[in-house]
Structures are given as structure tokens and as C-alpha cells.
Amino acid sequence: PDGKILVAAEAGLRAWELIPQSDGAGGAPFQARLLFQEPGHARNVRIEPKGGWLGYEGSIHVAGQARGGTFIRGLDPSATAELVDSHSSAVQSFGIGADGRTFMHMTMDRALHLYDSQTRASVRSFSILAPGEASSNYLLNFSVSPDGSKVAVANHNGRGVNIHDLASGRRLYSLPDDPGSVWWLAWHPDGRHLAVARGDGDISLWNLAEVEAVLKSR
């Protein structure tokens, strides 16, 4: 959040400290100093809103054995990754609450699991499937709204988006299915607009305030 540390996840996890160059140095405005590098496979990296720690999903090798799931670690170079929960991960299947006190991941059964970031203890979980719905794909994309009140989730067939109240888990409403599987969800900082990127190259921007006004008038 302060723009001083950059983290990259893919073939391992790497972090750099971005140090401004002096006025007379010329060339690049920043020097990138490697803070840490962890081997393995990492994805869905998120930094806590205040910059105190980060979480990601993936797998690392410990004592010759692969361990996969959700990992939490501090940004200090001496910190080590801590496996919080073992499970299979997918694209955009990890998130952090707006206050930094909660982190969450989605599992293949379409359940969203929430944890306390300090104790690492499981807080609760809820299914994003409604009665009669059955998951037909491996898309687990979700994104928490900037204020932490809502979560947007790819629906059971991966072509639509459901908006849930994060505190209760209740589904508030659904955006219609469109061609192309949901590949990424992104909230505008105002919390009133949601961008949906799809596998066919389409990007749609929804004005959720207008959607909610229409639904409320019915």
C-alpha cells in the first residue's frame, strides 16, 4: 500500500524493496533490492491493506514433500510461509477483508472459508450455491468489495456473477450469464462498480448502484 514493496507470484514468491535513486544517479528512478525469494508455485498473492503481511495460494516443498493450500507470511525477510489450510487452489480464489483482520479462500465445493488473520483460526464458512445449483466448472473467482461488506463470486456455471453479503453469506442478487467464462473480477474503489473479465476477451463494467436501485423498485 505504501508503494515501497513489490511482490510477484508464479514460479515461487519474490519481493523487492523499491528504493528511490538520488537526484544525481540518473537512469531508473528506483533501485529494486530483493527482500526474499521462496521456491515453489504461488498464485493469488494479496497484501494486507495496511501492508503488515501477505497471503497467497500455491505449493512449496517442505522436507522433500509438496504442501499446498493457503499460506500467510510477514514481509520481513526473516519470516517464513505458514500453511494455514491444505486444499487445491484456482485463479482468484484468495482474498483479504478490508480491515485486514480476516482472510478467506474458496474450495472446489464452492464454499468460502474465512479465517482470523492473527490466530489463523477458522471463523466460519458458507456455500455460494443456492438450493438446486450444482457446480459445473473449476472457476472459483471471487473479489471482496473495498469496504468489505460484499463479495462478488463467479456463479455455479462460471458465466455469471453473484453478489453476496459477506457478513451473513446471503446472496443479494445475481448478474446475468454472458458468453465466456469469468476470468477475473475487480471492484472500483467506490464500491459501486464491478468489472468482469472473460475468457473470450470481453470486459464488462457494471454499475451496481443502478442494478440495486432497479431491483429495489420491483
Side-chain angles (χ1 to χ4, degrees), residues 39-40 115 136:
Y115 295 81
S136 59

Side-chain angles (χ1 to χ4, degrees), residues 127-215:
S127 175
I128 63 99
L129 298 175
E133 289 181 346
S135 178
S136 59
N137 61 78
Y138 296 105
L139 299 175
L140 306 180
N141 304 65
F142 75 87
S143 181
V144 182
S145 65
D147 65 359
S149 65
K150 300 182 182 71
V151 58
V153 187
N155 73 356
H156 64 290
N157 62 29
R159 297 192 303 272
V161 178
N162 298 326
I163 307 297
H164 290 252
D165 177 80
L166 188 57
S168 66
R170 182 173 62 92
R171 184 183 298 182
L172 301 175
Y173 54 90
S174 299
L175 303 179
D177 293 1
D178 278 322
S181 299
V182 174
W183 274 19
W184 200 263
L185 300 166
W187 290 85
H188 188 280
D190 65 10
R192 296 163 57 90
H193 297 80
L194 179 73
V196 183
R198 298 181 179 277
D200 61 0
D202 180 69
I203 298 176
S204 55
L205 182 64
W206 289 87
N207 186 328
L208 299 184
E210 290 188 5
V211 172
E212 292 166 7
V214 170
L215 293 175

Side-chain angles (χ1 to χ4, degrees), residues 80-138:
T80 57
E82 174 188 352
L83 179 63
V84 179
D85 187 79
S86 297
H87 59 269
S88 299
S89 60
V91 175
Q92 204 178 13
S93 57
F94 176 81
I96 298 177
D99 58 6
R101 295 199 298 264
T102 305
F103 64 89
M104 58 208 79
H105 67 78
M106 185 81 74
T107 49
M108 292 297 177
D109 60 356
R110 297 294 179 129
L112 187 64
H113 302 263
L114 288 80
Y115 295 81
D116 184 289
S117 63
Q118 295 190 356
T119 66
R120 313 296 199 250
S122 175
V123 177
R124 60 188 174 89
S125 63
F126 63 88
S127 175
I128 63 99
L129 298 175
E133 289 181 346
S135 178
S136 59
N137 61 78
Y138 296 105

